[in-house]
Amino acid sequence: MKCSQTRAIQTHMITYPHLNFHKTLFGGQLMAWLDETAGIAAVRVSRAAIVTASVDHLDFLAPLKASHSVCIDAYVSGVGTRSMEIFAKVIGEDLFTGERYLAGTCFMTFVVPKGASLPERIEPETKEEQFICQGYKARKQARQAKRQESIDLAKNVDLDIPWNE
């Protein structure tokens, strides 16, 4: 399957309900849009119910301002037996001048249920896709190590909350 066959694109206008104290897009709103767009790409490759396993890496590179638009372009950049990695780029646009800028990048992992099948590989076509996909195996190894670290951490997290009365 080609990366382009999994591509999902969403565009939103940044308006006042989406702003933080700095009058730029609230990061949590961007994360919700990223999860939704990347989830569509994940379903396109799996044709099954998926679950977000992790936001592996999210870099906020430039603020997205009020009255600008934000375009999220996501595609599958690697597949395993039950998991897949999705790459998303966040492109801002000043709607009055037409200037576009890279506002962020993100890698996310989604998991399919047992019994669902994924293609053996994802085929990159463009120079960008080739660059992104070539790093999949190294990122997957780093994710697996981080997951074990998270499991070990969870074993030592105290669930008792000291409420102030």
Side-chain angles (χ1 to χ4, degrees):
M1 178 174 266
K2 297 176 182 176
C3 288
S4 61
Q5 293 174 287
T6 70
R7 183 168 252 118
I9 300 171
Q10 285 190 18
T11 304
H12 301 272
M13 182 180 283
I14 302 167
T15 58
Y16 288 99
H18 306 131
L19 300 181
N20 60 25
F21 290 117
H22 304 286
K23 296 186 180 167
T24 59
L25 181 64
F26 175 58
Q29 180 63 64
L30 178 59
M31 291 177 75
W33 287 338
L34 280 163
D35 192 40
E36 185 176 273
T37 311
I40 292 168
V43 171
R44 284 190 172 145
V45 76
S46 67
R47 298 297 177 197
I50 47 91
V51 175
T52 307
S54 61
V55 176
D56 305 316
H57 203 87
L58 171 56
D59 285 316
F60 295 98
L61 303 174
L64 292 153
K65 299 176 183 177
S67 77
H68 287 201
S69 70
V70 57
C71 179
I72 299 167
D73 180 1
Y75 54 87
V76 176
S77 52
V79 291
T81 53
R82 287 202 44 226
S83 68
M84 68 194 94
E85 175 190 82
I86 286 76
F87 170 72
K89 58 185 171 184
V90 179
I91 301 166
E93 180 181 353
D94 181 327
L95 294 171
F96 296 113
T97 67
E99 176 192 357
R100 291 185 176 180
Y101 52 95
L102 185 63
T105 58
C106 183
F107 288 96
M108 300 177 78
T109 299
F110 289 80
V111 176
V112 297
K114 288 182 181 176
S117 62
L118 293 172
E120 287 186 26
R121 63 187 293 271
I122 292 293
E123 297 175 38
E125 298 173 286
T126 68
K127 188 175 179 180
E128 174 191 292
E129 291 168 352
Q130 290 169 2
F131 181 81
I132 297 297
C133 291
Q134 76 182 0
Y136 168 69
K137 288 182 182 179
R139 288 188 302 271
K140 183 176 181 180
Q141 288 177 337
R143 268 193 303 278
Q144 289 170 333
K146 180 65 178 154
R147 177 156 169 71
Q148 186 57 53
E149 183 182 310
S150 294
I151 290 168
D152 295 341
L153 174 72
K155 292 176 185 174
N156 293 287
V157 172
D158 187 355
L159 300 179
D160 293 326
I161 298 173
W163 297 101
N164 291 330
E165 294 184 25

